[in-house]
Amino acid sequence: MASGSAEGARRPIYQRVLLKLSGEALVGNDAHGIDAERLGAVAEEIAVCHSLGVQIAIVVGGGNIFRGVAGSASGMDRATADYMGMIATIMNAVSLQDALEKAGMNTRVQSAINVQEVAEPYIRRRAIRHLEKGRIVVFAAGTGNPFFTTDTAAALRGLEIGADALLMAKKKHEGVYDADPEENPEAVLLREVTHREALERGLKVMDSTALALCMDYGLPILVFSMRDPGNIGRILLGERIGTVVSCGPDATRGNEGGES
């Protein structure tokens, strides 16, 4: 993160963003679960970004607790596995809410499945009102439907709340590469790519359903690493970090036929 004086001299280039956090972003040295120290560090970084005056909504995954695709692959019914994954995201969302409020941020969790004892139901207008009042909103339980990932939930919620950009935080990689860096050490980091090119080349930005939704409605995606503290704030202040997935010349935000 830039120094305090430098931050004061610069203004964020986004008014409202949707931050997609993987469940793995909350893991410490262990392979699973929630690490309290890591959770606190993530919350503190988000709090600093919120202090810039940016409205922040968050979609959090559940892969650190349970991954529906993995459960399905092991023989579990896919719909059942996906619902278990949604419950895992609620656990992460409530944990993140607690950490954010300890960092001084008023936070609301909205869930796509009914868990009224611990979270509000997802209501679009209420979510927008929370953001306008300076609260952070954490969206849990994905879209509320099996067979859809939290990537798709992030794209959907980002469009529903009118976010200026979708921020995809990765645990390991710096952005989008021209090949899988896990398999090819020669993979090259791409600094900018269009939605259509990412789809056609099968680049690992997010799942294809979510990527197509962002393309259709012109929602830019910024893919970056969470390994370096302060990266979220740098992006909000306009620094080019990671990969920008641009709308492309033929994309129109609020595509005709869609609801504004």
Side-chain angles (χ1 to χ4, degrees), residues 16-94:
R16 180 181 295 164
V17 296
L18 191 292
L19 172 64
K20 169 59 168 59
L21 288 175
S22 66
E24 288 83 355
L26 308 181
V27 174
N29 295 325
D30 297 329
H32 303 286
I34 300 171
D35 181 81
E37 184 176 350
R38 178 60 183 156
L39 180 66
V42 170
E44 289 288 348
E45 182 167 350
I46 293 171
V48 170
C49 296
H50 188 267
S51 71
L52 298 172
V54 180
Q55 297 176 14
I56 301 175
I58 303 168
V59 167
V60 62
N64 57 318
I65 299 172
F66 185 86
R67 190 177 295 276
V69 173
S72 177
S74 65
M76 184 179 292
D77 176 76
R78 174 61 190 269
T80 299
D82 281 354
Y83 278 117
M84 291 178 65
M86 292 178 213
I87 294 169
T89 71
I90 295 171
M91 295 171 67
N92 281 339
V94 172

Side-chain angles (χ1 to χ4, degrees), residues 109-120:
V109 174
Q110 290 198 346
S111 172
I113 59 177
N114 190 18
V115 284
Q116 61 186 9
E117 287 80 7
V118 296
E120 298 178 1

Side-chain angles (χ1 to χ4, degrees), residues 89-90 93-98 107-111 118-121 136-140:
T89 71
I90 295 171
V94 172
S95 298
L96 185 58
Q97 177 188 37
D98 181 72
T107 307
R108 299 291 185 271
V109 174
Q110 290 198 346
S111 172
V118 296
E120 298 178 1
I136 293 174
V137 180
V138 185
F139 297 120

Side-chain angles (χ1 to χ4, degrees), residues 169-258:
K170 301 291 187 180
K171 182 182 179 183
K172 295 181 180 179
H173 305 303
E174 301 296 325
V176 179
Y177 293 78
D178 64 352
D180 187 347
E182 296 286 344
E183 300 176 359
N184 182 3
E186 302 297 324
V188 177
L189 176 65
L190 303 174
R191 290 299 181 182
E192 188 163 356
V193 66
T194 66
H195 299 88
R196 187 173 301 280
E197 182 182 1
L199 277 169
E200 291 174 349
R201 295 175 61 181
L203 301 178
K204 292 190 174 182
V205 178
M206 59 202 317
D207 77 73
S208 58
T209 301
L211 186 54
L213 188 59
C214 292
M215 179 181 71
D216 287 345
Y217 290 89
L219 180 63
I221 308 165
L222 295 93
V223 187
F224 64 100
S225 170
M226 283 289 288
R227 288 185 302 179
D228 299 322
N231 270 354
I232 301 174
R234 294 185 184 102
I235 288 173
L236 296 179
L237 292 171
E239 290 188 32
R240 297 296 296 269
I241 295 173
T243 303
V244 176
V245 184
S246 63
C247 303
D250 59 344
T252 303
R253 181 67 183 273
N255 199 5
E256 293 182 6

Side-chain angles (χ1 to χ4, degrees), residues 113-147:
I113 59 177
N114 190 18
V115 284
Q116 61 186 9
E117 287 80 7
V118 296
E120 298 178 1
Y122 171 68
I123 300 174
R124 172 180 171 270
R125 288 182 178 272
R126 181 180 290 177
I128 292 172
R129 187 60 175 155
H130 285 322
L131 293 170
E132 291 172 342
K133 287 187 173 182
R135 298 165 183 153
I136 293 174
V137 180
V138 185
F139 297 120
T143 67
N145 301 286
F147 305 102

